[in-house]
Amino acid sequence: MTEQNENRRRLDILLAAPRGFCAGVDRAIQIVEQALERHGAPIYVRHEIVHNKFVVDSLRAKGAIFVDELDEVPANAHVVFSAHGVPKSVPEDAQNRGLAYFDATCPLVSKVHRQAERQVEAGRHILFVGHKGHPEVIGTFGQVASGAMTLVETEEDAEKVEVADPENLAFLTQTTLSVDDTAEIVATLQRRFPAIVGPKGEDICYATSNRQAAVKAIAGRCDLVIVIGAPNSSNSLRLVEVAERAGTPARLVQRAEEIDFNWLDGVTTLGITAGASAPEVLVRQFISRISERFEVREDQVVTAEESITFKLPRELAAAADPA
């Protein structure tokens, strides 16, 4: 065994930090866990609570039942809405059916919802920068009347979009977008519509920005970047794009078992990060798998410290407090 270890090729790993869970994801998972503890299984969850199969499977094992729509939830049950946010019609439907619900919408997404309402109340049409079909986009559009918002996905869209009243216009963005791509789209909108009103602060959340900055910091030093995250996770996909934009090949994987060791041919320095919905245990499992074949040396590159936490809903906070 000693001889085999000595013959293993060395592989340097640069771990991006921050990586993995953000405060909104952590809060959403706690909401499901505390609802289970307080009310017992089953607790129904509308859509994936966060975009990560490991997390969803772990909660399912504890008694969570994931459904696509509320009509799959039986009467008098408890239901949790996902971290991505939902249209106003969803809690209204839950109330009409007498369902007890907990809203796990990330507070930073809720902030965008409130901004959308305020801009429409001020008489402005909203150009919303985001990805069609993403749950967060669907939820945000569902905060205002139909026709009050127009989706802008690309810089080309920003060049072509037509509005009825350029003097009464606002823009908002999905929280999990590419910082660089969004800046270009917003710049185009501001050039075309000088009177357009933007949010007071960036809509792209701190965790998305921090994880992209961390990948930028390591990508130039790596031969390959691995992003641990789900294929339907917007922020994870953006991390792949950030690495590739820096000129470094990148791969998205969900679990350690998905690694193809052929990817590591010729790789001497490997970058690793994780999307905001991916727990650290998946990172450790991935590195453990690689260590079976390589002599691994880890180095963590820290570009920001995160200390943000979000409070649980009042009705669950007491259950979570051991005091």
Side-chain angles (χ1 to χ4, degrees):
M1 181 67 73
T2 303
E3 183 178 351
Q4 183 180 0
N5 288 346
E6 289 176 351
N7 290 334
R8 289 187 301 178
R9 178 165 71 84
R10 174 171 152 174
L11 180 65
D12 291 333
I13 290 179
L14 295 183
L15 278 171
R19 64 180 177 276
F21 274 3
C22 63
V25 165
D26 191 52
R27 174 180 179 270
I29 294 168
Q30 284 190 62
I31 287 174
V32 178
E33 291 175 338
Q34 291 303 323
L36 283 164
E37 185 172 323
R38 181 165 181 176
H39 300 286
I43 293 293
Y44 290 82
V45 183
R46 183 184 179 275
H47 295 176
E48 292 184 339
I49 186 68
V50 296
H51 284 154
N52 186 272
K53 187 176 186 299
F54 179 87
V55 170
V56 168
D57 288 346
S58 297
L59 293 173
R60 186 179 282 119
K62 295 177 181 179
I65 296 177
F66 293 85
V67 298
D68 290 328
E69 298 300 341
L70 285 187
D71 58 14
E72 300 172 57
V73 180
N76 303 316
H78 291 81
V79 62
V80 178
F81 303 146
S82 81
H84 309 103
V86 296
K88 282 184 175 179
S89 59
V90 174
E92 289 172 359
D93 186 21
Q95 288 178 333
N96 291 337
R97 292 193 51 212
L99 301 175
Y101 66 86
F102 303 104
D103 189 352
T105 301
C106 173
L108 298 180
V109 175
S110 295
K111 184 182 79 170
V112 178
H113 289 180
R114 292 193 297 270
Q115 290 173 337
E117 290 175 323
R118 285 197 294 267
Q119 295 295 359
V120 170
E121 287 169 1
R124 298 186 182 99
H125 184 81
I126 298 170
L127 298 180
F128 190 82
V129 183
H131 297 298
K132 184 179 181 180
H134 189 277
E136 184 182 330
V137 174
I138 294 170
T140 304
F141 268 66
Q143 303 305 308
V144 296
S146 177
M149 300 175 70
T150 299
L151 184 64
V152 175
E153 293 193 83
T154 64
E155 195 172 355
E156 183 181 5
D157 289 346
E159 287 285 6
K160 292 181 177 179
V161 65
E162 298 294 336
V163 298
D165 184 0
E167 298 303 311
N168 285 291
L169 203 58
F171 75 85
L172 296 171
T173 80
Q174 186 178 328
T175 64
T176 54
L177 299 178
S178 160
V179 173
D180 293 336
D181 288 348
T182 303
E184 293 172 359
I185 293 170
V186 169
T188 300
L189 294 177
Q190 291 173 326
R191 171 177 53 78
R192 290 194 62 210
F193 309 110
I196 196 168
V197 175
K200 290 181 180 179
E202 278 208 9
D203 284 341
I204 296 176
C205 83
Y206 77 94
T208 296
S209 300
N210 286 350
R211 279 148 191 72
Q212 290 179 23
V215 169
K216 287 181 183 179
I218 66 169
R221 299 164 57 188
C222 300
D223 303 302
L224 174 69
V225 171
I226 295 290
V227 177
I228 298 172
N232 59 341
S233 165
S234 176
N235 77 85
S236 298
L237 293 170
R238 303 295 80 77
L239 295 176
V240 172
E241 293 172 357
V242 166
E244 291 175 341
R245 177 174 281 191
T248 304
R251 298 272 186 174
L252 179 70
V253 299
Q254 296 194 77
R255 301 290 295 272
E257 294 78 11
E258 294 181 12
I259 187 172
D260 181 343
F261 283 100
N262 292 325
W263 298 344
L264 301 180
D265 289 347
V267 172
T268 59
T269 302
L270 176 67
I272 297 179
T273 189
S277 303
E280 181 66 12
V281 63
L282 297 183
V283 176
R284 300 320 311 173
Q285 289 175 356
F286 191 87
I287 293 174
S288 178
R289 180 90 191 276
I290 292 174
S291 298
E292 295 172 4
R293 302 264 190 115
F294 296 89
E295 194 65 43
V296 167
R297 187 185 74 172
E298 290 182 43
D299 183 19
Q300 182 161 254
V301 179
V302 180
T303 56
E305 299 284 352
E306 294 179 350
S307 58
I308 292 175
T309 58
F310 294 131
K311 293 180 180 179
L312 295 178
R314 192 180 301 109
E315 60 270 33
L316 293 178
D321 187 354

